[in-house]
Amino acid sequence: MSEAEQVPASAPEAAAVLDALNATDSNGTEALNATAKFVATPEGTALAYGSLVFMALLPIFFGALRSVRCSKSKNSADMPETITSRDAARFPIIASCTLFGLYLFFKVTQCSPWRSPLMSRIFPDSFPNKQYQLLFTQGSGESKEEIVNYEFDTKNLVCLVISSVVGVWYLLKKHWIANNLFGLAFALNGVELLHLNNVSTGCILLGGLFVYDVFWVFGTNVMVTVAKSFEAPIKLVFPQDLLEKGLEASNFAMLGLGDIVIPGIFIALLLRFDVSLKKNSRTYFYSSFLAYIFGLGLTIFVMHTFKHAQPALLYLVPACVGFPVIVALFNGELTEMFR
């Protein structure tokens, strides 16, 4: 797909994910090699972009809902990582270093699409679920020291087998469906487990990455170069030639996970703010969620109009911050929102 028609350039996800965008040319086509280019049909382009927007909304919506439950959990294993104002201020600097060469370390067992809390609802009540414990110790007697003490059950083992199959499938074939399964899982976990401590911190984080994204897309070609040379499930992809080639299609529109996770953790924060108000409404969550749809749609529109790659956060940040602030001003809750 083309630079003019690529899905927006991404900011990094909060777990140090690289910005990843598809590299393209000016004719709405992706350069497959020096001589052959694929011209996307309007139907294929619409299907690809629509699918990417839909896939982006899934982890934000469900991750935000799960972040509320996660914030109330008393289980230490489910406790979220809290991003402070200092973390938010340093994040663009860390992301810039990451863009220049730090590679990803994916925790497959923690970011599997089939995490046990989700899959446990699928297993029938009659499923024989046994408990196990994996224990490694060092030494003996009073000097014995625990090295590993992990408890799991049969459902965990089933989930591990399923996720391992997908992992091997991706490693061997690099298929776009396997890529998306991992990408959606990473994004869902990011939105669920990375918590901003207040709206001010969210504004600092989004503001810093707003400048970061604009600079690396308009000021240099580093982001496109990294995207072309770095192959990992750090982005969602969807083929524009799916209608012509089916599941073996290879001309992809792409959306970096940073464009999902970074706005997503801010939207999840606003949902928790709605819950804290105890008004049985989700005004700020829905306003920011709709703002995200508007911002992503505007990014795609501008790309097609000016035939040039666009940094998604240039449009997502003002929308996701501005819409809820306007709603708070209208409701007289702006001070409470930033408290």
Side-chain angles (χ1 to χ4, degrees), residues 74-96:
K74 296 181 180 180
N75 186 349
S76 59
D78 295 332
M79 293 300 292
E81 291 289 337
T82 302
I83 300 175
T84 64
S85 298
R86 179 177 296 181
D87 297 329
R90 292 184 300 194
F91 195 83
I93 300 175
I94 297 173
S96 296

Side-chain angles (χ1 to χ4, degrees), residues 103-155:
Y103 290 91
L104 299 174
F105 179 75
F106 292 104
K107 297 183 177 179
V108 175
T109 57
Q110 294 183 3
C111 296
S112 165
W114 297 278
R115 294 178 64 212
S116 181
L118 178 63
M119 290 294 292
S120 61
R121 302 177 184 178
I122 300 177
F123 290 99
D125 294 336
S126 58
F127 183 83
N129 193 33
K130 297 182 179 181
Q131 298 294 322
Y132 302 93
Q133 183 178 22
L134 182 63
L135 179 63
F136 285 96
T137 62
Q138 181 179 6
S140 60
E142 296 182 356
S143 62
K144 182 183 292 186
E145 179 183 0
E146 281 190 4
I147 305 300
V148 176
N149 188 355
Y150 183 69
E151 296 181 357
F152 56 97
D153 55 28
T154 308
K155 294 179 181 179

Side-chain angles (χ1 to χ4, degrees), residues 203 206-207 209-210 312-322:
C203 291
L206 291 176
L209 292 176
F210 172 90
L313 293 187
L314 175 63
Y315 308 95
L316 291 174
V317 170
C320 291
V321 174

Side-chain angles (χ1 to χ4, degrees), residues 299-320:
T299 309
I300 296 173
F301 172 78
V302 173
M303 279 192 301
H304 282 278
T305 300
F306 294 98
K307 306 300 180 183
H308 191 280
Q310 299 294 313
L313 293 187
L314 175 63
Y315 308 95
L316 291 174
V317 170
C320 291

Side-chain angles (χ1 to χ4, degrees), residues 3-322:
E3 190 169 23
E5 295 188 3
Q6 73 179 52
V7 172
S10 76
E13 72 172 290
V17 171
L18 294 175
D19 296 81
L21 270 199
N22 48 318
T24 56
D25 58 31
S26 61
N27 298 318
T29 62
E30 180 180 10
L32 299 178
N33 51 51
T35 59
K37 293 182 179 180
F38 168 79
V39 179
T41 64
E43 294 81 4
T45 300
L47 177 63
Y49 287 154
S51 299
L52 285 175
V53 172
F54 177 73
M55 286 191 292
L57 297 178
L58 289 178
I60 291 178
F61 185 84
F62 291 105
L65 294 177
R66 292 172 63 172
S67 76
V68 175
R69 184 198 64 191
C70 182
S71 64
K72 297 178 180 179
S73 175
K74 296 181 180 180
N75 186 349
S76 59
D78 295 332
M79 293 300 292
E81 291 289 337
T82 302
I83 300 175
T84 64
S85 298
R86 179 177 296 181
D87 297 329
R90 292 184 300 194
F91 195 83
I93 300 175
I94 297 173
S96 296
C97 296
T98 301
L99 186 62
F100 271 122
L102 296 179
Y103 290 91
L104 299 174
F105 179 75
F106 292 104
K107 297 183 177 179
V108 175
T109 57
Q110 294 183 3
C111 296
S112 165
W114 297 278
R115 294 178 64 212
S116 181
L118 178 63
M119 290 294 292
S120 61
R121 302 177 184 178
I122 300 177
F123 290 99
D125 294 336
S126 58
F127 183 83
N129 193 33
K130 297 182 179 181
Q131 298 294 322
Y132 302 93
Q133 183 178 22
L134 182 63
L135 179 63
F136 285 96
T137 62
Q138 181 179 6
S140 60
E142 296 182 356
S143 62
K144 182 183 292 186
E145 179 183 0
E146 281 190 4
I147 305 300
V148 176
N149 188 355
Y150 183 69
E151 296 181 357
F152 56 97
D153 55 28
T154 308
K155 294 179 181 179
N156 295 125
L157 290 176
V158 173
C159 294
L160 177 61
V161 171
I162 296 174
S163 60
S164 298
V165 170
V166 177
V168 172
W169 179 27
Y170 175 77
L171 290 174
L172 295 178
K173 299 295 185 179
K174 295 294 190 294
H175 198 278
W176 60 274
I177 294 179
N179 174 90
N180 287 348
L181 288 175
F182 279 107
L184 288 170
F186 296 149
L188 178 64
N189 279 270
V191 175
E192 176 186 359
L193 299 176
L194 293 172
H195 287 196
L196 296 165
N197 59 0
N198 55 53
V199 173
S200 298
T201 299
C203 291
I204 293 172
L205 177 65
L206 291 176
L209 292 176
F210 172 90
V211 176
Y212 165 91
D213 212 21
V214 171
F215 172 77
W216 287 110
V217 174
F218 289 149
T220 74
N221 63 350
V222 172
M223 196 173 290
V224 173
T225 302
V226 169
K228 291 176 66 176
S229 59
F230 195 88
E231 188 171 354
I234 59 173
K235 53 188 176 284
L236 299 180
V237 300
F238 199 91
Q240 297 185 90
D241 54 345
L242 179 68
L243 300 177
E244 291 83 6
K245 298 183 179 179
L247 296 180
E248 298 303 317
S250 58
N251 293 276
F252 297 107
M254 305 180 187
L255 178 64
L257 296 188
D259 290 331
I260 302 173
V261 175
I262 298 302
I265 61 178
F266 186 76
I267 295 171
L269 170 66
L270 293 176
L271 175 59
R272 297 194 299 275
F273 175 63
D274 278 323
V275 172
S276 70
L277 294 177
K278 299 179 180 180
K279 292 184 177 181
N280 294 323
S281 68
R282 300 293 182 263
T283 304
Y284 296 102
F285 170 66
Y286 288 127
S287 65
S288 59
F289 191 75
L290 292 175
Y292 180 85
I293 299 174
F294 170 79
L296 197 55
L298 181 61
T299 309
I300 296 173
F301 172 78
V302 173
M303 279 192 301
H304 282 278
T305 300
F306 294 98
K307 306 300 180 183
H308 191 280
Q310 299 294 313
L313 293 187
L314 175 63
Y315 308 95
L316 291 174
V317 170
C320 291
V321 174

